[in-house]
């Protein structure tokens, strides 16, 4: 399948007007077997309760049956099981868990769509793309602000994006590059498959369920046409000064030079999204002054310079050792608190399940993961504080393994020196 996908990708790159007429045939037994082995075998089962290991017992027969049903158009995706996970703001995020068989087909469709659209996507789109990460988006944002005359920021948040994607508009976006009706029909069936929540079925007239393998690529395609191309072809050409954008999935930041441009862009952005039945969150979307002169201007008004959040970091106006403006960033306060609460809860639950050496290995893995994400230029103080708070929590819970205290700070530090935990370290430097 990889060879065929590479060919599709090459054609799509060379001919931007090409429409692919026959791609559904790639969803055959051989290719879907590849997709099966690409799935995470530890993920939760869908509404039918079929696990990865159960499906694997008769994999060839199961896939043969699946392909035959797709060919006869009798295959219909099952409703997704809706669950909720807590967010850092205290609210809950809905996630949709598809059945295993539907995950296999979604993986196949996703690979085909990625081959077609990857070369179309704009350079400032970073979410859920190969060789693109949150840190790439953060570095690009830093580069924009530091390299251009940016004085204003539109911190944009689309209200309930994944729940409000318009199916008709999405299919029109897909038809720009795909004319295979059977392939498009299959995608529609996924969009209309419905949701099961607490045993009750609900139709899905809009949206793509978060948690599905297919949702990220569909979201990127949708926003590519309604936001990215519009910004590149219209906003950039009509702005009087510099404008730039960085987008990660439905989260994006617009950087603007002139005040008159920023208000016009904000107005046009609302109208543009409204055309596609989307809207900006009144609570989370803001226009702020940000850049080289923001601190001085705020001080003259008797205020503090504004900050904005992006991908888990709070960005603020800072000064380098030489007295020059730089973009400062630190772990978002809610994220910081949330991560510590999660760690505290975990330590409490496992304190008597493992020996200290085993607990140390697990804790080391968690710390490395935290430093790997949050260890970016300018954020050393935050990850250092996280490390110190972690030590306090560990000390507390290992002393509650029994009714009698097991160690004091002196013996704890001796053990820590002998078996050190990962130290805070900047993993991603933006100042190279």
């Amino acid at each position: 399948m990889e060879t065929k996908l590479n060919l599709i990708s090459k054609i799509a790159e060379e001919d931007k007007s090409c429409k692919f007429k026959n791609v559904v045939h790639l969803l055959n037994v051989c290719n879907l077997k590849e997709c099966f082995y690409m799935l995470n075998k530890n993920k939760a089962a869908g509404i039918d309760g079929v696990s990865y290991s159960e499906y694997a017992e008769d994999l060839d027969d199961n896939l043969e049956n699946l392909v035959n049903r797709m060919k006869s158009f009798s295959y219909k995706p099952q409703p997704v099981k809706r669950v909720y996970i807590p967010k850092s703001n205290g609210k809950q995020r809905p996630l949709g868990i598809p059945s295993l068989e539907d995950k296999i087909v979604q993986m196949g469709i996703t690979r085909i769509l990625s081959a077609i659209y990857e070369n179309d996507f704009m350079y400032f789109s970073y979410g859920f793309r190969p060789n693109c990460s949150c840190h790439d988006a953060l570095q690009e944002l830093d580069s924009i602000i530091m390299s251009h005359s940016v004085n204003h920021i539109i911190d944009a948040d689309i209200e309930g994006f994944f729940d409000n994607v318009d199916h008709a508009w999405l299919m029109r976006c897909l038809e720009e590059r795909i004319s295979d009706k059977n392939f498009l029909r299959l995608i529609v069936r996924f969009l209309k498959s419905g949701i099961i929540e607490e045993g009750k079925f609900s139709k899905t007239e809009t949206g793509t369920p978060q948690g599905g393998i297919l949702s990220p690529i569909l979201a990127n395609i949708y926003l590519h046409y309604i936001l990215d191309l519009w910004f590149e072809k219209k906003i950039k050409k009509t702005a009087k000064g510099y404008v730039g954008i960085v987008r990660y999935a439905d989260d994006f930041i617009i950087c603007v030079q002139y005040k008159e441009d920023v208000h016009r862009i904000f107005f046009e952005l609302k109208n543009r999204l409204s055309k596609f039945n989307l809207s900006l969150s009144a609570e989370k979307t803001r226009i702020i002054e940000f850049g080289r002169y923001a601190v001085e201007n705020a001080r003259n008004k008797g205020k503090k310079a504004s900050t904005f959040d992006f991908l888990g970091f709070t960005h603020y106006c800072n000064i380098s050792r030489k007295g020059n403006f730089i973009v400062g960033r630190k772990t978002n306060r809610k994220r910081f608190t949330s991560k510590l609460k999660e760690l505290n809860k975990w330590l409490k639950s496992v304190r008597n399940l493992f020996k200290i050496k085993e607990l140390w290995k697990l804790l080391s893995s968690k710390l490395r993961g935290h430093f790997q994400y949050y260890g970016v230029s300018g954020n050393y103080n935050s990850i250092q504080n996280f490390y110190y708070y972690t030590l306090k929590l560990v000390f507390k819970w290992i002393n509650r393994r029994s009714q009698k205290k097991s160690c004091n700070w002196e013996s704890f530090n001796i053990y820590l020196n002998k078996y050190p935990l990962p130290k805070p370290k900047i993993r991603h430097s933006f100042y190279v």
Side-chain angles (χ1 to χ4, degrees):
M1 187 175 184
E2 197 66 39
T3 303
K4 293 178 180 178
L5 292 176
N6 288 337
L7 179 59
I8 288 174
S9 182
K10 184 177 180 181
I11 295 171
E13 182 179 13
E14 292 175 351
D15 186 358
K16 297 296 183 182
S17 62
C18 174
K19 288 191 177 185
F20 292 86
K21 299 178 181 179
N22 186 17
V23 290
V24 75
H25 75 279
L26 292 173
L27 300 175
N28 54 45
V29 173
C30 181
N31 294 337
L32 289 179
K33 183 180 283 190
E34 285 184 30
C35 296
F36 173 79
Y37 288 119
M38 294 174 71
L39 298 178
N40 185 337
K41 62 179 68 177
N42 298 317
K43 288 288 186 178
I47 197 68
D48 60 0
V50 177
S51 67
Y52 186 94
S53 57
E54 289 172 336
Y55 199 87
E57 290 177 2
D58 297 304
L59 182 60
D60 290 334
D61 290 341
N62 287 333
L63 292 177
E64 189 74 42
N65 178 271
L66 171 60
V67 171
N68 288 334
R69 281 184 283 131
M70 283 197 288
K71 287 180 178 178
S72 64
F73 305 110
S74 61
Y75 166 73
K76 291 185 179 179
Q78 299 182 60
V80 298
K81 180 170 68 175
R82 173 161 282 181
V83 296
Y84 292 88
I85 60 172
K87 297 171 67 175
S88 58
N89 60 6
K91 297 181 180 180
Q92 291 188 314
R93 183 191 303 278
L95 288 181
I97 304 176
S99 67
L100 184 85
E101 191 170 72
D102 294 339
K103 289 178 184 177
I104 297 170
V105 181
Q106 285 193 33
M107 179 65 77
I109 294 173
T110 298
R111 295 179 73 190
I112 294 169
L113 290 176
S114 295
I116 295 172
Y117 284 97
E118 181 56 35
N119 289 304
D120 288 356
F121 291 151
M122 303 302 298
Y123 59 92
F124 50 75
S125 168
Y126 288 91
F128 308 111
R129 294 181 60 192
N131 303 316
C132 292
S133 69
C134 294
H135 300 107
D136 294 326
L138 289 166
Q139 186 165 10
E140 175 64 15
L141 179 61
D142 181 87
S143 177
I144 286 175
I145 298 174
M146 293 299 298
S147 304
H148 299 89
S149 299
V150 172
N151 297 308
H152 305 276
I153 294 287
I154 300 177
D155 180 8
D157 184 275
I158 300 177
E159 186 77 46
F161 171 75
F162 284 93
D163 293 329
N164 292 299
V165 170
D166 188 283
H167 290 172
W169 277 115
L170 174 58
M171 296 314 297
R172 285 187 62 178
C173 293
L174 291 168
E175 288 166 4
E176 289 291 313
R177 284 298 236 161
I178 302 170
S179 59
D180 186 334
K181 292 183 179 180
N182 292 330
F183 185 76
L184 294 174
R185 183 188 301 176
L186 188 58
I187 294 176
V188 171
R189 288 190 175 186
F190 273 107
L191 293 173
K192 303 293 185 183
S193 61
I195 294 170
I196 294 288
E197 184 176 356
E198 296 181 349
K200 295 182 180 180
F201 174 80
S202 301
K203 292 183 178 180
T204 45
E205 300 298 335
T206 61
T208 60
Q210 296 183 64
I213 296 170
L214 189 56
S215 291
I217 184 68
L218 292 180
N220 269 339
I221 292 169
Y222 196 60
L223 288 171
H224 171 72
Y225 285 104
I226 73 170
L227 177 65
D228 297 355
L229 289 179
W230 167 78
F231 188 87
E232 187 73 11
K233 294 182 177 181
K234 183 178 180 183
I235 297 301
K236 278 195 170 184
K237 292 182 178 180
T238 56
K240 292 184 178 180
Y242 174 81
V243 292
I245 184 173
V246 178
R247 180 173 70 80
Y248 193 94
D250 61 322
D251 194 5
F252 59 98
I253 300 292
I254 299 176
C255 305
V256 187
Q257 181 175 1
Y258 293 130
K259 188 175 182 179
E260 55 190 290
D261 276 336
V262 76
H263 289 286
R264 178 184 60 82
I265 292 170
F266 183 71
F267 175 77
E268 292 187 16
L269 176 63
K270 289 197 294 184
N271 288 341
R272 176 68 177 178
L273 293 178
S274 176
K275 178 181 177 180
F276 298 92
N277 299 319
L278 295 173
S279 61
L280 291 172
S281 169
E283 179 185 349
K284 298 179 181 179
T285 302
R286 302 178 304 144
I287 297 176
I288 65 169
E289 187 175 355
F290 193 93
R292 287 168 174 76
Y293 310 107
V295 174
E296 184 179 349
N297 291 342
R299 189 184 297 119
N300 292 336
K301 297 175 183 177
K303 300 179 180 179
K304 290 185 178 180
S306 299
T307 65
F308 67 92
D309 294 328
F310 185 57
L311 299 179
F313 294 88
T314 296
H315 295 71
Y316 60 95
C317 299
N318 200 11
I319 302 297
S320 70
R321 292 177 181 177
K322 295 181 179 180
N324 300 320
F325 165 78
I326 58 171
V327 178
R329 63 188 62 79
K330 58 185 177 181
T331 307
N332 175 273
R333 183 182 297 177
K334 289 182 179 179
R335 287 280 189 97
F336 186 91
T337 303
S338 174
K339 292 295 181 183
L340 281 178
K341 285 182 179 179
E342 289 175 14
L343 184 64
N344 184 58
K345 185 178 180 181
W346 176 78
L347 287 168
K348 180 181 179 181
S349 65
V350 303
R351 69 187 188 276
N352 290 316
L353 298 180
F354 302 102
K355 293 181 179 179
I356 292 294
K357 285 187 177 181
E358 292 300 316
L359 181 64
W360 232 241
K361 290 179 182 179
L362 296 170
L363 181 60
S364 295
S365 177
K366 288 182 176 292
L367 279 174
R368 277 192 293 268
H370 186 88
F371 299 152
Q372 180 62 32
Y373 185 81
Y374 290 101
V376 304
S377 296
N379 195 40
Y380 184 78
N381 286 342
S382 290
I383 60 175
Q384 186 180 50
N385 287 337
F386 188 86
Y387 175 77
Y388 289 146
Y389 278 114
T390 297
L391 296 185
K392 290 181 180 179
L393 291 174
V394 174
F395 179 77
K396 180 181 78 171
W397 287 114
I398 63 174
N399 273 307
R400 296 189 183 183
R401 288 162 64 90
S402 63
Q403 292 182 347
K404 186 177 180 181
K405 279 193 174 185
S406 56
C407 73
N408 53 31
W409 272 109
E410 184 179 357
S411 59
F412 179 76
N413 283 320
I414 291 173
Y415 187 85
L416 193 62
N417 288 329
K418 188 174 182 181
Y419 303 103
L421 291 169
K423 295 290 180 67
K425 182 180 179 181
I426 298 300
R427 305 287 183 179
H428 308 276
S429 176
F430 300 159
Y431 305 143
V432 179

